Amino acid sequence: MPQRLHAEFVEAVGADAVASDPVALRSYECDGLTGFRVVPSLVLVPRTAEAVAAAVRVCAKHDVPFVARGAGSGLSGGALPVADGVVISLQRLRSVVEIDVVNRRAIVEPGVTNVDISRAAAPYGLYFAPDPSSQQVCTIGGNVAENSGGAHCLKYGFTVHHIHSAEVVLPDGSTTVLGGDSPQLGGYDLLGAFIGSEGTLGIATRITVKLLAKPAAVKTLVADFPSVEQAGDTVSAVIEAGIVPAAVEMMNALAIKAVEAAVDAGYSRDAAAALVVELDGPQAEVDAQFAQVKRLCEEFGATKLRIPASAEERALVWKGRKAAFAAVGRISPNYFVQDGVVPRTQLATALTRISELAAGAGLRVANVFHAGDGNLHPLVLYSEAAGEHERAETLSRAIAELCVDLGGSLSGEHGIGTDKVCSMPRQFSEDDLATMARLRLAYDPAGICNPGKLLPTPRLCGERPGVYQPHPLEAAGLIERM
Protein backbone atom coordinates (compact mmCIF):
# COMPACT_ATOMS: atom_id res chain seq x y z
CA MET A 1 0.00 0.00 0.00
CA PRO A 2 1.38 3.45 -0.89
CA GLN A 3 2.97 5.26 2.07
CA ARG A 4 0.76 8.31 1.60
CA LEU A 5 -2.41 6.22 1.81
CA HIS A 6 -1.06 4.36 4.83
CA ALA A 7 -0.49 7.73 6.52
CA GLU A 8 -4.10 8.76 5.86
CA PHE A 9 -5.38 5.62 7.59
CA VAL A 10 -3.07 6.31 10.54
CA GLU A 11 -4.46 9.83 10.77
CA ALA A 12 -8.04 8.46 10.63
CA VAL A 13 -7.82 5.78 13.34
CA GLY A 14 -4.51 6.33 15.17
CA ALA A 15 -1.16 4.61 14.75
CA ASP A 16 -1.95 1.93 17.35
CA ALA A 17 -5.05 0.90 15.37
CA VAL A 18 -3.23 0.09 12.13
CA ALA A 19 -1.64 -3.31 11.53
CA SER A 20 0.60 -3.84 8.53
CA ASP A 21 3.02 -6.45 9.82
CA PRO A 22 2.80 -9.51 7.53
CA VAL A 23 2.37 -11.87 10.48
CA ALA A 24 -0.45 -9.76 11.93
CA LEU A 25 -2.16 -9.55 8.53
CA ARG A 26 -2.10 -13.35 8.31
CA SER A 27 -4.38 -13.47 11.36
CA TYR A 28 -7.14 -11.95 9.25
CA GLU A 29 -6.70 -13.97 6.05
CA CYS A 30 -9.90 -16.00 6.56
CA ASP A 31 -12.95 -16.39 8.74
CA GLY A 32 -14.37 -19.68 10.00
CA LEU A 33 -14.41 -21.01 6.44
CA THR A 34 -10.69 -21.67 6.26
CA GLY A 35 -10.70 -23.09 2.75
CA PHE A 36 -10.68 -19.53 1.39
CA ARG A 37 -7.72 -17.31 2.32
CA VAL A 38 -6.66 -13.83 1.18
CA VAL A 39 -4.15 -11.63 3.00
CA PRO A 40 -5.35 -7.99 3.16
CA SER A 41 -3.10 -5.00 2.54
CA LEU A 42 -3.91 -3.45 5.90
CA VAL A 43 -5.96 -4.13 9.03
CA LEU A 44 -7.59 -1.32 10.99
CA VAL A 45 -8.82 -1.82 14.55
CA PRO A 46 -10.59 1.46 15.41
CA ARG A 47 -11.71 2.26 18.95
CA THR A 48 -14.78 4.37 18.16
CA ALA A 49 -17.62 4.65 15.67
CA GLU A 50 -16.21 7.99 14.59
CA ALA A 51 -12.90 6.33 13.76
CA VAL A 52 -14.74 3.65 11.75
CA ALA A 53 -16.43 6.41 9.72
CA ALA A 54 -13.11 8.21 9.22
CA ALA A 55 -11.50 5.00 7.95
CA VAL A 56 -14.35 4.38 5.52
CA ARG A 57 -14.07 7.96 4.22
CA VAL A 58 -10.43 7.29 3.37
CA CYS A 59 -11.47 4.10 1.57
CA ALA A 60 -14.15 6.00 -0.37
CA LYS A 61 -11.77 8.81 -1.27
CA HIS A 62 -9.26 6.39 -2.82
CA ASP A 63 -11.62 3.58 -3.97
CA VAL A 64 -10.03 1.14 -1.55
CA PRO A 65 -12.19 -1.95 -0.93
CA PHE A 66 -12.90 -2.71 2.71
CA VAL A 67 -14.30 -5.66 4.66
CA ALA A 68 -15.83 -5.29 8.12
CA ARG A 69 -15.04 -8.09 10.56
CA GLY A 70 -16.41 -9.08 13.95
CA ALA A 71 -15.05 -12.22 15.58
CA GLY A 72 -14.28 -13.89 12.27
CA SER A 73 -16.47 -16.84 13.21
CA GLY A 74 -18.59 -16.76 10.04
CA LEU A 75 -18.79 -19.95 8.01
CA SER A 76 -19.42 -18.67 4.48
CA GLY A 77 -16.31 -16.59 3.77
CA GLY A 78 -18.33 -13.43 4.32
CA ALA A 79 -15.38 -11.72 6.03
CA LEU A 80 -12.82 -12.90 3.48
CA PRO A 81 -10.46 -9.95 2.86
CA VAL A 82 -9.69 -8.36 -0.49
CA ALA A 83 -6.02 -8.54 -1.44
CA ASP A 84 -5.68 -4.86 -2.26
CA GLY A 85 -8.08 -3.73 0.44
CA VAL A 86 -8.34 -3.22 4.18
CA VAL A 87 -10.07 -5.14 6.96
CA ILE A 88 -11.90 -2.99 9.51
CA SER A 89 -12.12 -5.00 12.71
CA LEU A 90 -14.88 -4.06 15.19
CA GLN A 91 -13.29 -5.98 18.08
CA ARG A 92 -12.56 -2.85 20.10
CA LEU A 93 -16.16 -1.65 19.95
CA ARG A 94 -17.51 -4.03 22.57
CA SER A 95 -19.40 -1.97 25.14
CA VAL A 96 -22.88 -2.71 26.40
CA VAL A 97 -23.90 0.94 26.40
CA GLU A 98 -27.28 0.61 28.12
CA ILE A 99 -29.79 -1.93 29.42
CA ASP A 100 -33.26 -0.35 29.27
CA VAL A 101 -35.24 -2.62 31.58
CA VAL A 102 -38.54 -0.75 31.28
CA ASN A 103 -38.61 -0.92 27.48
CA ARG A 104 -36.81 -4.28 27.33
CA ARG A 105 -34.01 -3.25 25.02
CA ALA A 106 -30.24 -2.88 25.07
CA ILE A 107 -27.90 -0.57 23.20
CA VAL A 108 -24.66 -2.32 22.29
CA GLU A 109 -21.59 -1.83 20.14
CA PRO A 110 -21.00 -4.30 17.28
CA GLY A 111 -18.08 -6.13 18.89
CA VAL A 112 -20.14 -7.35 21.87
CA THR A 113 -20.54 -11.12 21.78
CA ASN A 114 -24.02 -12.57 21.45
CA VAL A 115 -23.90 -14.29 24.83
CA ASP A 116 -22.63 -11.17 26.61
CA ILE A 117 -25.87 -9.35 25.77
CA SER A 118 -27.84 -12.00 27.64
CA ARG A 119 -25.32 -11.96 30.48
CA ALA A 120 -25.73 -8.21 30.86
CA ALA A 121 -29.53 -8.52 30.81
CA ALA A 122 -29.74 -11.58 33.10
CA PRO A 123 -29.89 -9.65 36.42
CA TYR A 124 -33.18 -8.14 35.19
CA GLY A 125 -34.74 -11.45 34.15
CA LEU A 126 -34.21 -10.63 30.46
CA TYR A 127 -32.24 -12.16 27.60
CA PHE A 128 -31.44 -11.79 23.87
CA ALA A 129 -33.24 -14.58 21.99
CA PRO A 130 -31.10 -15.35 18.89
CA ASP A 131 -28.56 -17.96 19.97
CA PRO A 132 -26.25 -19.21 17.20
CA SER A 133 -24.07 -22.15 18.22
CA SER A 134 -21.05 -19.85 18.21
CA GLN A 135 -22.74 -17.39 20.60
CA GLN A 136 -19.81 -17.54 23.03
CA VAL A 137 -17.57 -15.83 20.47
CA CYS A 138 -19.67 -14.42 17.61
CA THR A 139 -20.52 -10.73 17.80
CA ILE A 140 -23.81 -8.91 17.41
CA GLY A 141 -22.36 -6.98 14.46
CA GLY A 142 -21.77 -10.27 12.66
CA ASN A 143 -25.23 -11.51 13.70
CA VAL A 144 -26.76 -8.43 12.07
CA ALA A 145 -24.67 -8.87 8.92
CA GLU A 146 -25.70 -12.53 8.53
CA ASN A 147 -29.19 -12.36 10.10
CA SER A 148 -28.14 -15.16 12.44
CA GLY A 149 -30.63 -17.54 14.00
CA GLY A 150 -29.74 -20.42 16.27
CA ALA A 151 -31.43 -23.32 17.99
CA HIS A 152 -34.34 -21.27 19.32
CA CYS A 153 -35.20 -19.34 16.15
CA LEU A 154 -38.03 -21.82 15.45
CA LYS A 155 -40.15 -20.06 18.06
CA TYR A 156 -38.43 -16.71 18.45
CA GLY A 157 -37.25 -15.86 14.94
CA PHE A 158 -33.96 -14.56 13.58
CA THR A 159 -31.84 -11.53 14.38
CA VAL A 160 -34.01 -9.36 12.11
CA HIS A 161 -36.92 -9.92 14.49
CA HIS A 162 -34.93 -8.63 17.47
CA ILE A 163 -33.38 -5.37 16.28
CA HIS A 164 -34.98 -1.97 16.85
CA SER A 165 -32.39 0.17 15.08
CA ALA A 166 -28.81 0.36 13.91
CA GLU A 167 -26.39 3.25 13.54
CA VAL A 168 -24.62 2.56 10.26
CA VAL A 169 -21.54 3.92 8.52
CA LEU A 170 -22.40 3.94 4.84
CA PRO A 171 -19.83 3.14 2.11
CA ASP A 172 -19.15 6.86 1.52
CA GLY A 173 -18.21 7.32 5.18
CA SER A 174 -21.37 9.15 6.21
CA THR A 175 -23.41 7.94 9.18
CA THR A 176 -27.14 7.28 9.42
CA VAL A 177 -29.61 5.48 11.67
CA LEU A 178 -31.85 2.77 10.27
CA GLY A 179 -35.02 1.81 12.14
CA GLY A 180 -36.19 3.44 15.34
CA ASP A 181 -37.97 3.02 18.64
CA SER A 182 -41.44 2.59 17.19
CA PRO A 183 -42.43 -0.95 16.18
CA GLN A 184 -44.09 0.48 13.04
CA LEU A 185 -42.23 2.97 10.87
CA GLY A 186 -43.38 4.49 7.61
CA GLY A 187 -41.59 4.13 4.29
CA TYR A 188 -39.30 1.38 3.07
CA ASP A 189 -37.88 -1.07 5.59
CA LEU A 190 -34.25 -0.04 5.14
CA LEU A 191 -33.26 -1.69 8.43
CA GLY A 192 -34.75 -4.96 7.18
CA ALA A 193 -32.75 -4.64 3.96
CA PHE A 194 -29.56 -3.96 5.90
CA ILE A 195 -29.89 -6.94 8.25
CA GLY A 196 -28.61 -10.00 6.42
CA SER A 197 -26.88 -7.96 3.69
CA GLU A 198 -23.58 -9.60 4.71
CA GLY A 199 -21.69 -6.36 5.20
CA THR A 200 -22.25 -5.16 1.64
CA LEU A 201 -24.30 -2.06 2.50
CA GLY A 202 -22.30 -0.54 5.34
CA ILE A 203 -20.97 -1.14 8.85
CA ALA A 204 -23.18 -1.17 11.96
CA THR A 205 -21.50 0.74 14.77
CA ARG A 206 -24.27 0.83 17.39
CA ILE A 207 -27.26 -1.51 17.64
CA THR A 208 -30.43 -1.39 19.71
CA VAL A 209 -31.68 -4.92 20.37
CA LYS A 210 -34.90 -6.27 21.85
CA LEU A 211 -34.78 -8.21 25.10
CA LEU A 212 -37.29 -10.88 26.14
CA ALA A 213 -38.40 -11.97 29.60
CA LYS A 214 -37.12 -15.39 30.59
CA PRO A 215 -39.85 -18.04 30.27
CA ALA A 216 -41.57 -19.30 33.41
CA ALA A 217 -40.90 -22.94 32.62
CA VAL A 218 -38.49 -24.89 30.38
CA LYS A 219 -38.50 -28.61 29.65
CA THR A 220 -36.10 -30.53 27.40
CA LEU A 221 -35.87 -34.07 26.17
CA VAL A 222 -33.42 -36.07 24.08
CA ALA A 223 -35.00 -38.82 21.97
CA ASP A 224 -32.96 -41.56 20.29
CA PHE A 225 -34.15 -43.03 16.98
CA PRO A 226 -33.08 -46.03 14.91
CA SER A 227 -33.02 -43.89 11.73
CA VAL A 228 -32.73 -40.24 10.73
CA GLU A 229 -35.90 -40.62 8.65
CA GLN A 230 -37.94 -41.58 11.73
CA ALA A 231 -36.50 -38.64 13.62
CA GLY A 232 -37.36 -36.33 10.71
CA ASP A 233 -40.91 -37.64 10.52
CA THR A 234 -41.30 -37.04 14.26
CA VAL A 235 -40.40 -33.38 13.79
CA SER A 236 -43.14 -32.97 11.19
CA ALA A 237 -45.63 -34.73 13.46
CA VAL A 238 -44.83 -32.42 16.38
CA ILE A 239 -45.41 -29.32 14.28
CA GLU A 240 -48.55 -30.76 12.69
CA ALA A 241 -49.92 -31.28 16.20
CA GLY A 242 -49.90 -27.51 16.61
CA ILE A 243 -46.92 -27.46 18.96
CA VAL A 244 -44.24 -24.82 18.43
CA PRO A 245 -41.26 -25.92 20.50
CA ALA A 246 -38.62 -23.38 21.45
CA ALA A 247 -36.12 -25.65 19.70
CA VAL A 248 -35.96 -28.92 17.77
CA GLU A 249 -32.43 -30.04 16.96
CA MET A 250 -31.18 -33.22 15.33
CA MET A 251 -27.83 -35.00 15.10
CA ASN A 252 -27.00 -38.19 13.21
CA ALA A 253 -24.75 -41.00 14.43
CA LEU A 254 -21.53 -39.46 13.12
CA ALA A 255 -22.23 -36.13 14.81
CA ILE A 256 -23.15 -37.88 18.08
CA LYS A 257 -19.88 -39.79 17.95
CA ALA A 258 -17.94 -36.55 17.54
CA VAL A 259 -19.83 -34.77 20.33
CA GLU A 260 -19.30 -37.58 22.81
CA ALA A 261 -15.61 -37.73 21.97
CA ALA A 262 -15.30 -34.00 22.60
CA VAL A 263 -17.54 -33.13 25.56
CA ASP A 264 -19.13 -36.39 26.88
CA ALA A 265 -22.60 -34.83 26.99
CA GLY A 266 -24.44 -38.10 27.60
CA TYR A 267 -25.85 -38.76 24.13
CA SER A 268 -26.32 -42.43 23.21
CA ARG A 269 -23.37 -43.51 21.09
CA ASP A 270 -25.38 -46.30 19.44
CA ALA A 271 -28.30 -44.11 18.26
CA ALA A 272 -28.69 -43.52 14.52
CA ALA A 273 -30.18 -40.11 15.28
CA ALA A 274 -31.03 -37.97 18.29
CA LEU A 275 -33.62 -35.24 18.61
CA VAL A 276 -33.32 -32.48 21.19
CA VAL A 277 -36.74 -30.92 21.81
CA GLU A 278 -37.19 -27.98 24.15
CA LEU A 279 -40.47 -26.37 25.20
CA ASP A 280 -40.82 -23.15 27.16
CA GLY A 281 -43.60 -20.86 28.34
CA PRO A 282 -46.26 -21.02 31.08
CA GLN A 283 -45.90 -24.11 33.28
CA ALA A 284 -49.28 -25.66 32.48
CA GLU A 285 -48.82 -25.24 28.73
CA VAL A 286 -45.31 -26.67 28.82
CA ASP A 287 -46.45 -29.69 30.85
CA ALA A 288 -49.30 -30.49 28.47
CA GLN A 289 -47.26 -30.10 25.28
CA PHE A 290 -44.30 -31.99 26.73
CA ALA A 291 -46.56 -35.02 27.27
CA GLN A 292 -47.69 -34.78 23.64
CA VAL A 293 -44.10 -34.62 22.37
CA LYS A 294 -43.11 -37.66 24.43
CA ARG A 295 -46.06 -39.60 23.02
CA LEU A 296 -45.21 -38.65 19.42
CA CYS A 297 -41.56 -39.63 19.86
CA GLU A 298 -42.64 -43.05 21.09
CA GLU A 299 -45.19 -43.47 18.29
CA PHE A 300 -42.49 -42.78 15.68
CA GLY A 301 -40.14 -45.37 17.13
CA ALA A 302 -37.94 -43.58 19.68
CA THR A 303 -35.81 -46.18 21.45
CA LYS A 304 -34.92 -44.02 24.43
CA LEU A 305 -36.06 -40.75 26.01
CA ARG A 306 -33.70 -38.81 28.24
CA ILE A 307 -35.21 -35.97 30.27
CA PRO A 308 -32.67 -33.73 32.04
CA ALA A 309 -33.52 -33.54 35.73
CA SER A 310 -31.77 -30.26 36.43
CA ALA A 311 -30.70 -27.01 34.80
CA GLU A 312 -27.13 -28.29 34.89
CA GLU A 313 -28.03 -31.47 33.03
CA ARG A 314 -30.00 -29.44 30.46
CA ALA A 315 -27.00 -27.18 30.00
CA LEU A 316 -24.85 -30.27 29.32
CA VAL A 317 -27.27 -31.39 26.58
CA TRP A 318 -26.96 -27.99 24.94
CA LYS A 319 -23.21 -27.89 25.44
CA GLY A 320 -23.00 -31.06 23.39
CA ARG A 321 -25.28 -29.78 20.66
CA LYS A 322 -23.58 -26.40 20.39
CA ALA A 323 -20.11 -27.96 20.39
CA ALA A 324 -20.99 -30.23 17.48
CA PHE A 325 -19.30 -28.22 14.72
CA ALA A 326 -15.99 -27.99 16.55
CA ALA A 327 -16.28 -31.55 17.83
CA VAL A 328 -16.24 -32.91 14.30
CA GLY A 329 -12.55 -32.03 14.30
CA ARG A 330 -12.15 -35.10 16.55
CA ILE A 331 -13.14 -37.45 13.74
CA SER A 332 -11.90 -35.65 10.62
CA PRO A 333 -8.86 -33.47 9.84
CA ASN A 334 -10.92 -31.16 7.60
CA TYR A 335 -14.58 -30.47 6.99
CA PHE A 336 -16.99 -28.10 5.26
CA VAL A 337 -19.98 -26.82 7.24
CA GLN A 338 -22.91 -26.47 4.87
CA ASP A 339 -26.02 -24.42 5.56
CA GLY A 340 -29.21 -24.94 3.59
CA VAL A 341 -32.94 -24.99 4.22
CA VAL A 342 -35.64 -27.38 3.06
CA PRO A 343 -39.39 -27.42 3.75
CA ARG A 344 -39.92 -29.40 6.92
CA THR A 345 -41.96 -31.98 4.98
CA GLN A 346 -38.86 -32.67 2.85
CA LEU A 347 -36.55 -33.41 5.78
CA ALA A 348 -36.56 -37.19 5.40
CA THR A 349 -36.11 -36.93 1.62
CA ALA A 350 -33.25 -34.47 2.02
CA LEU A 351 -31.44 -36.67 4.53
CA THR A 352 -31.81 -39.73 2.29
CA ARG A 353 -30.50 -37.81 -0.73
CA ILE A 354 -27.57 -36.43 1.26
CA SER A 355 -26.61 -39.98 2.24
CA GLU A 356 -26.76 -41.04 -1.41
CA LEU A 357 -24.66 -38.05 -2.52
CA ALA A 358 -22.09 -38.77 0.20
CA ALA A 359 -21.88 -42.43 -0.81
CA GLY A 360 -21.41 -41.42 -4.43
CA ALA A 361 -18.59 -39.07 -3.49
CA GLY A 362 -16.97 -41.60 -1.19
CA LEU A 363 -17.06 -39.16 1.73
CA ARG A 364 -18.73 -39.05 5.14
CA VAL A 365 -21.33 -36.44 6.16
CA ALA A 366 -22.21 -35.61 9.76
CA ASN A 367 -25.65 -34.02 10.03
CA VAL A 368 -26.30 -31.41 12.71
CA PHE A 369 -29.25 -29.16 12.18
CA HIS A 370 -32.18 -27.09 13.32
CA ALA A 371 -34.80 -29.65 12.39
CA GLY A 372 -37.75 -27.55 13.49
CA ASP A 373 -37.34 -25.04 10.68
CA GLY A 374 -35.64 -27.35 8.17
CA ASN A 375 -32.25 -25.61 8.48
CA LEU A 376 -29.66 -28.27 7.65
CA HIS A 377 -26.00 -28.10 8.62
CA PRO A 378 -24.37 -31.10 6.94
CA LEU A 379 -20.66 -31.33 7.70
CA VAL A 380 -18.71 -32.84 4.80
CA LEU A 381 -15.66 -34.63 6.20
CA TYR A 382 -12.51 -34.90 4.14
CA SER A 383 -8.73 -34.89 4.23
CA GLU A 384 -6.80 -32.06 2.65
CA ALA A 385 -3.65 -34.17 2.84
CA ALA A 386 -5.35 -36.97 0.93
CA GLY A 387 -6.31 -34.59 -1.87
CA GLU A 388 -10.04 -34.76 -1.14
CA HIS A 389 -10.67 -31.02 -1.01
CA GLU A 390 -12.19 -30.56 -4.44
CA ARG A 391 -14.40 -33.65 -4.09
CA ALA A 392 -15.62 -32.41 -0.71
CA GLU A 393 -16.29 -28.92 -2.04
CA THR A 394 -18.27 -30.39 -4.93
CA LEU A 395 -20.32 -32.53 -2.55
CA SER A 396 -20.94 -29.57 -0.25
CA ARG A 397 -22.19 -27.47 -3.13
CA ALA A 398 -24.37 -30.33 -4.39
CA ILE A 399 -26.04 -30.53 -0.97
CA ALA A 400 -26.75 -26.78 -0.97
CA GLU A 401 -28.25 -26.99 -4.45
CA LEU A 402 -30.27 -30.06 -3.44
CA CYS A 403 -31.94 -27.85 -0.83
CA VAL A 404 -32.99 -25.44 -3.59
CA ASP A 405 -34.27 -28.30 -5.75
CA LEU A 406 -36.44 -29.48 -2.84
CA GLY A 407 -38.06 -26.06 -2.60
CA GLY A 408 -35.73 -24.60 0.01
CA SER A 409 -32.89 -22.10 0.18
CA LEU A 410 -29.11 -21.95 -0.21
CA SER A 411 -28.70 -20.54 3.27
CA GLY A 412 -30.58 -20.43 6.54
CA GLU A 413 -28.27 -18.36 8.71
CA HIS A 414 -24.63 -18.56 7.61
CA GLY A 415 -25.05 -16.36 4.56
CA ILE A 416 -23.90 -16.71 0.97
CA GLY A 417 -20.53 -15.04 1.48
CA THR A 418 -17.82 -16.23 -0.87
CA ASP A 419 -18.77 -19.85 -0.52
CA LYS A 420 -22.04 -19.95 -2.43
CA VAL A 421 -22.02 -16.97 -4.79
CA CYS A 422 -21.75 -19.24 -7.79
CA SER A 423 -24.89 -21.11 -6.71
CA MET A 424 -27.05 -17.98 -6.45
CA PRO A 425 -28.39 -18.33 -10.03
CA ARG A 426 -29.68 -21.75 -8.96
CA GLN A 427 -32.12 -20.06 -6.59
CA PHE A 428 -32.66 -16.64 -8.15
CA SER A 429 -33.45 -15.52 -11.70
CA GLU A 430 -31.37 -12.97 -13.60
CA ASP A 431 -34.01 -10.35 -12.82
CA ASP A 432 -33.87 -11.21 -9.10
CA LEU A 433 -30.08 -10.85 -9.03
CA ALA A 434 -30.19 -7.65 -11.07
CA THR A 435 -32.66 -6.14 -8.59
CA MET A 436 -30.42 -7.08 -5.67
CA ALA A 437 -27.43 -5.57 -7.49
CA ARG A 438 -29.33 -2.29 -8.02
CA LEU A 439 -30.13 -2.10 -4.31
CA ARG A 440 -26.47 -2.69 -3.51
CA LEU A 441 -25.38 0.01 -5.96
CA ALA A 442 -27.76 2.50 -4.33
CA TYR A 443 -25.75 2.14 -1.12
CA ASP A 444 -22.36 1.50 -2.66
CA PRO A 445 -22.03 2.83 -6.22
CA ALA A 446 -18.25 2.41 -6.15
CA GLY A 447 -18.48 -1.26 -5.17
CA ILE A 448 -15.92 -1.03 -2.36
CA CYS A 449 -17.98 -2.43 0.54
CA ASN A 450 -17.19 -6.13 1.00
CA PRO A 451 -16.89 -6.80 -2.74
CA GLY A 452 -17.12 -10.32 -4.13
CA LYS A 453 -19.65 -11.50 -1.56
CA LEU A 454 -23.31 -12.43 -1.87
CA LEU A 455 -23.81 -11.67 -5.57
CA PRO A 456 -21.99 -13.68 -8.26
CA THR A 457 -19.44 -12.05 -10.52
CA PRO A 458 -17.82 -13.49 -13.65
CA ARG A 459 -14.40 -13.30 -12.02
CA LEU A 460 -15.39 -15.35 -9.00
CA CYS A 461 -17.33 -17.87 -11.01
CA GLY A 462 -14.42 -18.38 -13.37
CA GLU A 463 -12.05 -19.19 -10.56
CA ARG A 464 -11.80 -22.52 -8.82
CA PRO A 465 -13.06 -22.37 -5.22
CA GLY A 466 -11.19 -23.40 -2.09
CA VAL A 467 -7.46 -23.21 -1.49
CA TYR A 468 -5.95 -21.00 -4.19
CA GLN A 469 -5.43 -22.75 -7.47
CA PRO A 470 -4.60 -20.98 -10.72
CA HIS A 471 -7.46 -20.06 -13.00
CA PRO A 472 -7.37 -22.31 -16.10
CA LEU A 473 -6.45 -19.30 -18.23
CA GLU A 474 -3.64 -18.44 -15.81
CA ALA A 475 -2.37 -21.99 -15.98
CA ALA A 476 -2.38 -21.76 -19.76
CA GLY A 477 -0.34 -18.54 -19.61
CA LEU A 478 -3.10 -16.53 -21.28
CA ILE A 479 -3.80 -14.12 -18.38
CA GLU A 480 -1.90 -12.82 -15.36
CA ARG A 481 -3.14 -12.29 -11.80
CA MET A 482 -2.74 -8.60 -10.93
Side-chain angles (χ1 to χ4, degrees):
M1 176 170 290
Q3 192 60 39
R4 182 174 55 80
L5 182 55
H6 185 281
E8 286 195 45
F9 280 120
V10 169
E11 184 178 353
V13 299
D16 67 341
V18 178
S20 57
D21 177 79
V23 175
L25 296 181
R26 279 278 178 188
S27 302
Y28 296 86
E29 67 179 359
C30 68
D31 58 15
L33 184 64
T34 58
F36 296 85
R37 296 172 186 266
V38 176
V39 179
S41 292
L42 209 61
V43 173
L44 310 176
V45 194
R47 296 180 182 278
T48 66
E50 292 74 19
V52 172
V56 172
R57 284 195 293 274
V58 175
C59 292
K61 177 182 175 183
H62 298 283
D63 282 338
V64 175
F66 63 91
V67 177
R69 179 185 171 106
S73 57
L75 294 167
S76 64
L80 185 73
V82 177
D84 57 351
V86 303
V87 168
I88 300 177
S89 169
L90 287 309
Q91 278 295 296
R92 283 175 167 168
L93 278 73
R94 51 187 176 193
S95 294
V96 176
V97 178
E98 179 185 352
I99 300 291
D100 181 350
V101 177
V102 174
N103 292 300
R104 292 185 178 178
R105 62 185 60 181
I107 300 174
V108 298
E109 292 187 320
V112 175
T113 63
N114 174 290
V115 75
D116 276 345
I117 299 175
S118 290
R119 283 176 178 151
Y124 311 102
L126 303 173
Y127 75 108
F128 182 57
D131 62 337
S133 296
S134 58
Q135 67 181 139
Q136 298 285 341
V137 296
C138 70
T139 61
I140 183 63
N143 293 173
V144 168
E146 304 295 342
N147 190 22
S148 301
H152 292 80
C153 66
L154 172 62
K155 183 173 183 178
Y156 294 104
F158 289 75
T159 298
V160 70
H161 303 112
H162 298 272
I163 304 295
H164 279 293
S165 64
E167 176 188 271
V168 175
V169 175
L170 297 171
D172 65 356
S174 63
T175 299
T176 190
V177 175
L178 305 178
D181 292 336
S182 171
Q184 297 294 336
L185 298 171
Y188 296 111
D189 182 9
L190 299 180
L191 177 64
F194 182 81
I195 296 172
S197 63
E198 306 192 18
T200 61
L201 303 183
I203 302 175
T205 50
R206 181 170 288 208
I207 302 156
T208 302
V209 307
K210 298 177 184 177
L211 301 175
L212 301 183
K214 291 182 179 177
V218 180
K219 279 194 170 181
T220 307
L221 67 78
V222 181
D224 296 344
F225 287 89
S227 73
V228 291
E229 289 79 9
Q230 285 170 277
D233 288 340
T234 303
V235 174
S236 293
V238 169
I239 303 301
E240 286 171 9
I243 301 169
V244 182
V248 182
E249 302 288 291
M250 190 191 300
M251 293 189 291
N252 72 353
L254 207 50
I256 293 169
K257 178 182 176 183
V259 164
E260 287 305 297
V263 298
D264 195 18
Y267 289 91
S268 301
R269 295 173 186 264
D270 58 349
L275 277 185
V276 179
V277 184
E278 185 161 283
L279 299 166
D280 67 11
Q283 187 70 59
E285 176 183 293
V286 169
D287 288 344
Q289 293 187 342
F290 197 73
Q292 283 182 276
V293 171
K294 286 170 56 181
R295 178 178 56 78
L296 288 169
C297 288
E298 290 166 349
E299 283 182 6
F300 280 84
T303 55
K304 177 183 175 184
L305 296 181
R306 171 190 171 199
I307 300 172
S310 65
E312 291 73 21
E313 191 178 348
R314 183 186 309 121
L316 184 59
V317 168
W318 282 112
K319 181 180 179 182
R321 165 57 189 91
K322 296 199 172 189
F325 287 0
V328 167
R330 297 292 188 108
I331 60 173
S332 177
N334 306 99
Y335 58 92
F336 282 109
V337 180
Q338 191 48 271
D339 166 46
V341 181
V342 297
R344 205 164 29 238
T345 53
Q346 296 282 5
L347 266 178
T349 301
L351 294 171
T352 300
R353 288 287 296 124
I354 289 171
S355 295
E356 292 170 353
L357 289 169
L363 296 170
R364 298 178 298 166
V365 174
N367 282 303
V368 181
F369 52 94
H370 310 307
D373 55 1
N375 187 185
L376 309 176
H377 291 314
L379 295 104
V380 178
L381 315 187
Y382 70 99
S383 169
E384 194 81 49
E388 297 174 341
H389 179 103
E390 190 164 340
R391 193 152 35 105
E393 195 279 336
T394 300
L395 173 58
S396 181
R397 181 185 302 172
I399 291 173
E401 295 182 350
L402 168 67
C403 292
V404 176
D405 294 343
L406 292 175
S409 168
L410 286 170
S411 175
E413 56 179 349
H414 295 176
I416 300 300
T418 303
D419 187 29
K420 288 186 273 192
V421 286
C422 292
S423 295
M424 285 290 274
R426 186 77 169 234
Q427 180 171 348
F428 298 101
S429 69
E430 288 187 17
D431 288 345
D432 293 336
L433 294 172
T435 301
M436 293 185 205
R438 290 178 69 182
L439 171 67
R440 184 171 183 168
L441 284 171
Y443 281 78
D444 181 25
I448 59 172
C449 188
N450 206 13
K453 316 298 171 16
L454 186 59
L455 299 179
T457 67
R459 180 181 64 82
L460 278 170
C461 292
E463 290 182 344
R464 302 176 71 179
V467 176
Y468 169 73
Q469 299 175 60
H471 187 285
L473 294 177
E474 283 183 274
L478 300 175
I479 62 172
E480 293 182 353
R481 181 169 293 268
M482 302 301 290

